[in-house]
C-alpha cells in the first residue's frame, strides 16, 4: 500500500453547503491525520478527469470564478449522465453496426454540446484552481477512499482508469435508504443512487460504513446482488462520526428570535434535521398536539433547511394555531445559533423512520442534552441506554415521554446522559484512516469492531 487518498470532490466544488454528508466530509478532511499506521494520508479531488491534492478546502473569495466553476460543474454532471445513458445503450446493443453508430453519435454529441464549453471553462478556471489544489500523480498501491457523495459526481470513468492502473477503491457508505426506502426521495435521486451503488458494487474493493448497522446492511445487499463468494472477496468495516459544530464562532451572533425562545421557563424540545419525509415531522406534530391537549406547556422547535416532498408539512406548520406560541420553525440557522439551541433546550427529539447514523443525536448528547429517538437499530447502536425511545406506530408513545418528563423532571432513560461520552471529528477521521489501512494491509481481515471507542 502506497498512500491513502481521501476524495472530497463535491464539497470542494460546493464548500458552502452544510447539510449532513457535507458536514462529515469537511470535518474528516480538516482533521485528516498525516499518516495512519505509517501510510501517508492526503485529501484529493477528481477534477476535469485529473487527480489533484487538496491544499485548501475553503473557497477563494472570487465570485465570478466561483459562479463559472458552479456552471461548469453542472455541465459536467450533465455530460456524465449522458455517458451513463450511452453505457446502458451500448450494453443493450447486439449488432456491431448499431454499436458503431451509437458510438459515433455519442462522440459527436459530447464534442459539440459538452466538450468545447467544458474545455473553455476549465481553461479559464485553472489559474484559480491551482491556488486550492495541485496536480497529483497516482501510483500503483494507492487506495482511493470515496468519502464524498460521489453519486453526484462525474468521476466514474476516471476511477475505473485508476483501478486499471493498480489503485484500490474504498467506498464510504452513509446509508442505503434510497434503495430500501425509495418513497422518501424524488425519482431522479433514487435512479442516480441506484446507478451509483451498482457501479460501486462492481468497483470497490472494500466498504467503510458510518455505523455497524449500515456495515451489516451493505454486506447483506452485496450478498444478495453478487453472491457470497464474490462478497467474501471484499472487506467491510465502519467508523463513527464526530460531534463538534466546526462552523461555530464566538464572533457570530445568535438568531434573535431563537434566543428569545429560551428566555421563558417552559421546556423546549428541539428537532434538528432537513425537512423531508424520512425525518417524520408529521409524527412529531401529532405527538406534541396530543401533549398540548393533555395540558403540556412544552414547546417544539424545528430547526432545519427545507428539503423535498414537504409541502404538506410546511403548510401544516405555517397554518398551525400554535405557531410562534408553542411551535417554532427555523430554516436557516448558523452553527452558532444551533450551538445555542443545543445548550438551552430541554431535550432533543428525533423521530426518523430510518437513518444511517443520526448526527444530531451525538451533537446534542455530547453537550449534555438528553435525546428521545425512534426505536430503530442505529439509534440503539449510538445511544444505548442513555436515550429514551418511542414507538413510531403510536404518537401517544412520544406524547407520554414529553408529559412524563415535564411533570417529573426526570428524563426517561435508563442512564444519565452526563455519563455518556463520544468521539470528536479528529478521532472520527483517525478511525476512518486507520481502519481503512488495516483492512487493506491485514490478512485475514481484522475482526469487526463494535464500538466507536475501540482502538
Amino acid at each position: 500500500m502506497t498512500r491513502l487518498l481521501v476524495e472530497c470532490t463535491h464539497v470542494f466544488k460546493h464548500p458552502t453547503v452544510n447539510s449532513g454528508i457535507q458536514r462529515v466530509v469537511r470535518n474528516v478532511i480538516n482533521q485528516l491525520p498525516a499518516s495512519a499506521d505509517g501510510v501517508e494520508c492526503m485529501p484529493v479531488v477528481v477534477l476535469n478527469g485529473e487527480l489533484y491534492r487538496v491544499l485548501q478546502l475553503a473557497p477563494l473569495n472570487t465570485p465570478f470564478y466561483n459562479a463559472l466553476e458552479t456552471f461548469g460543474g453542472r455541465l459536467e454532471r450533465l455530460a456524465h449522465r449522458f455517458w451513463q445513458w450511452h453505457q446502458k445503450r451500448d450494453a443493450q446493443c447486439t449488432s456491431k453496426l448499431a454499436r458503431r453508430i451509437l458510438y459515433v453519435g455519442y462522440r459527436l454529441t459530447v464534442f459539440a454540446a459538452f466538450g468545447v464549453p467544458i474545455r473553455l471553462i476549465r481553461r479559464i478556471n485553472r489559474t484559480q484552481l491551482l491556488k486550492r489544489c495541485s496536480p497529483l500523480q497516482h501510483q500503483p498501491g494507492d487506495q482511493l477512499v470515496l468519502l464524498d457523495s460521489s453519486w453526484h459526481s462525474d468521476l466514474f470513468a476516471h476511477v475505473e482508469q485508476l483501478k486499471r492502473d493498480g489503485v484500490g477503491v474504498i467506498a464510504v457508505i452513509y446509508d442505503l435508504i434510497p434503495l430500501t426506502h425509495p418513497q422518501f426521495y424524488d425519482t431522479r435521486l433514487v435512479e442516480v443512487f441506484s446507478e451509483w451503488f451498482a457501479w460501486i458494487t462492481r468497483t470497490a474493493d472494500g466498504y467503510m460504513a458510518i455505523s455497524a448497522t449500515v456495515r451489516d446492511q451493505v454486506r447483506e445487499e452485496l450478498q444478495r446482488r453478487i453472491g457470497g463468494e464474490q462478497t467474501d472477496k471484499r472487506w467491510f468495516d465502519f467508523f463513527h462520526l464526530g460531534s463538534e459544530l466546526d462552523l461555530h464562532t464566538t464572533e457570530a451572533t445568535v438568531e434573535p428570535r431563537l434566543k428569545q425562545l429560551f428566555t421563558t421557563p417552559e421546556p423546549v424540545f428541539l428537532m434538528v434535521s432537513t425537512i423531508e419525509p424520512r425525518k417524520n415531522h408529521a409524527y412529531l406534530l401529532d405527538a406534541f398536539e396530543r401533549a398540548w391537549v393533555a395540558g403540556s406547556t412544552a414547546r417544539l422547535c424545528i430547526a432545519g433547511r427545507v428539503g423535498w416532498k414537504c409541502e404538506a408539512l410546511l403548510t401544516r406548520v405555517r397554518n398551525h394555531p400554535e405557531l410562534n406560541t408553542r411551535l417554532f420553525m427555523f430554516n436557516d440557522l448558523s452553527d452558532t445559533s444551533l450551538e445555542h439551541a443545543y445548550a438551552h433546550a430541554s431535550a432533543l427529539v428525533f423521530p426518523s423512520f430510518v437513518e444511517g447514523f443520526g448526527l444530531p443525536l451525538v451533537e446534542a448528547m455530547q453537550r449534555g442534552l438528553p435525546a428521545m429517538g425512534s426505536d430503530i437499530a442505529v439509534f440503539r447502536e449510538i445511544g444505548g441506554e442513555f436515550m429514551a425511545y418511542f414507538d413510531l406506530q403510536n404518537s401517544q408513545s412520544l406524547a407520554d415521554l414529553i408529559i412524563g418528563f415535564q411533570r417529573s423532571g426526570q428524563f426517561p432513560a435508563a442512564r444519565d446522559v452526563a455519563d455518556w461520552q463520544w468521539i470528536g471529528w479528529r478521532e472520527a477521521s483517525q478511525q476512518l484512516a486507520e481502519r481503512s489501512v488495516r483492512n487493506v494491509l491485514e490478512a485475514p481481515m481484522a475482526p469487526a469492531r463494535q464500538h466507536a471507542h475501540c482502538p
Side-chain angles (χ1 to χ4, degrees):
M1 182 174 179
T2 311
R3 300 169 299 187
L4 195 71
L5 312 179
V6 185
E7 177 267 334
C8 55
T9 307
H10 191 67
V11 167
F12 186 87
K13 290 181 175 180
H14 308 279
T16 59
V17 179
N18 194 33
S19 56
I21 293 178
Q22 289 76 28
R23 184 186 292 278
V24 174
V25 173
R26 188 179 63 248
N27 280 284
V28 168
I29 293 299
N30 288 337
Q31 300 289 345
L32 190 67
S35 65
D37 291 345
V39 175
E40 184 181 9
C41 304
M42 65 180 71
V44 302
V45 291
V46 179
L47 300 171
N48 311 331
E50 298 179 12
L51 192 64
Y52 292 83
R53 180 172 187 166
V54 174
L55 305 175
Q56 177 181 320
L57 192 57
L60 301 172
N61 187 22
T62 52
F64 171 76
Y65 288 104
N66 291 342
L68 192 63
E69 184 176 357
T70 298
F71 175 73
R74 290 174 180 169
L75 198 61
E76 290 186 22
R77 286 194 297 277
L78 187 60
H80 175 60
R81 290 177 187 174
F82 186 59
W83 173 81
Q84 289 178 308
W85 175 87
H86 171 260
Q87 292 290 96
K88 282 184 179 180
R89 298 299 176 272
D90 183 70
Q92 293 168 354
C93 285
T94 56
S95 163
K96 288 185 178 180
L97 178 61
R99 293 182 72 179
R100 172 57 60 181
I101 293 172
L102 180 67
Y103 177 76
V104 171
Y106 168 75
R107 295 300 299 175
L108 289 174
T109 304
V110 166
F111 177 78
F114 303 114
V116 173
I118 285 176
R119 286 194 189 96
L120 181 60
I121 292 171
R122 286 176 180 176
R123 185 167 298 179
I124 295 172
N125 280 332
R126 185 170 178 79
T127 56
Q128 298 297 307
L129 178 68
L130 293 178
K131 295 178 182 178
R132 296 177 62 201
C133 58
S134 61
L136 179 71
Q137 180 58 49
H138 62 277
Q139 303 169 14
D142 284 344
Q143 299 292 318
L144 179 66
V145 181
L146 297 176
L147 174 66
D148 213 337
S149 49
S150 50
W151 51 91
H152 290 306
S153 302
D154 58 346
L155 48 72
F156 288 20
H158 186 68
V159 171
E160 290 174 2
Q161 183 59 55
L162 292 176
K163 192 170 177 67
R164 288 192 290 270
D165 291 343
V167 175
V169 177
I170 301 169
V172 174
I173 311 293
Y174 292 89
D175 59 64
L176 298 182
I177 301 171
L179 301 180
T180 59
H181 298 76
Q183 68 273 23
F184 293 140
Y185 297 97
D186 293 328
T187 302
R188 180 56 194 162
L189 188 144
V190 173
E191 292 174 350
V192 167
F193 187 89
S194 298
E195 291 168 357
W196 171 81
F197 192 79
W199 174 74
I200 211 66
T201 298
R202 301 189 304 269
T203 308
D205 304 295
Y207 301 83
M208 284 291 296
I210 60 171
S211 64
T213 302
V214 173
R215 175 202 60 192
D216 296 342
Q217 292 171 349
V218 173
R219 184 189 287 115
E220 290 171 5
E221 181 64 18
L222 259 71
Q223 288 174 339
R224 187 184 69 81
R225 289 178 178 235
I226 63 176
E229 183 178 351
Q230 287 299 315
T231 300
D232 289 343
K233 295 178 181 179
R234 279 81 163 169
W235 57 263
F236 302 83
D237 208 334
F238 74 98
F239 71 109
H240 275 156
L241 308 182
S243 55
E244 306 97 317
L245 297 176
D246 64 304
L247 298 184
H248 165 58
T249 64
T250 54
E251 294 80 17
T253 58
V254 175
E255 164 70 39
R257 194 165 63 93
L258 178 76
K259 199 170 186 178
Q260 179 65 29
L261 175 61
F262 295 103
T263 58
T264 56
E266 290 81 11
V268 176
F269 289 76
L270 179 66
M271 168 66 170
V272 178
S273 78
T274 300
I275 299 175
E276 44 109 340
R278 178 170 58 92
K279 303 299 184 176
N280 207 8
H281 289 80
Y283 173 97
L284 193 61
L285 286 176
D286 291 344
F288 272 85
E289 287 170 357
R290 286 175 176 266
W292 291 331
V293 168
S296 172
T297 58
R299 292 166 296 167
L300 172 60
C301 175
I302 296 173
R305 67 180 181 87
V306 175
W308 51 92
K309 291 188 173 184
C310 58
E311 293 80 9
L313 187 281
L314 292 175
T315 299
R316 181 178 175 184
V317 171
R318 289 164 180 163
N319 294 326
H320 202 284
E322 295 292 346
L323 184 63
N324 298 324
T325 302
R326 287 189 288 191
L327 172 62
F328 301 83
M329 183 169 68
F330 301 87
N331 300 126
D332 192 25
L333 289 182
S334 66
D335 274 11
T336 299
S337 292
L338 187 56
E339 191 77 57
H340 185 84
Y342 281 139
H344 292 85
S346 302
L348 183 83
V349 281
F350 207 168
S352 285
F353 285 109
V354 59
E355 290 284 341
F357 184 78
L359 197 54
L361 289 179
V362 298
E363 290 175 349
M365 294 173 70
Q366 188 68 351
R367 289 158 177 78
L369 179 64
M372 300 175 175
S374 42
D375 194 358
I376 58 178
V378 72
F379 286 0
R380 291 280 184 179
E381 175 185 339
I382 294 167
E385 295 182 331
F386 296 95
M387 278 179 60
Y389 301 93
F390 48 81
D391 181 4
L392 287 183
Q393 301 303 313
N394 180 13
S395 60
Q396 187 63 46
S397 172
L398 174 55
D400 290 342
L401 291 180
I402 296 164
I403 295 167
F405 181 33
Q406 186 176 4
R407 287 177 178 171
S408 69
Q410 182 68 38
F411 190 76
R415 299 182 65 184
D416 192 334
V417 70
D419 299 325
W420 187 84
Q421 293 294 323
W422 198 253
I423 61 174
W425 283 112
R426 183 177 297 278
E427 293 85 358
S429 188
Q430 190 168 0
Q431 278 188 14
L432 170 63
E434 290 181 349
R435 294 182 183 185
S436 295
V437 169
R438 289 176 190 174
N439 277 287
V440 172
L441 293 179
E442 292 179 5
M445 184 178 69
R449 292 156 285 271
Q450 295 301 317
H451 301 289
H453 310 291
C454 292

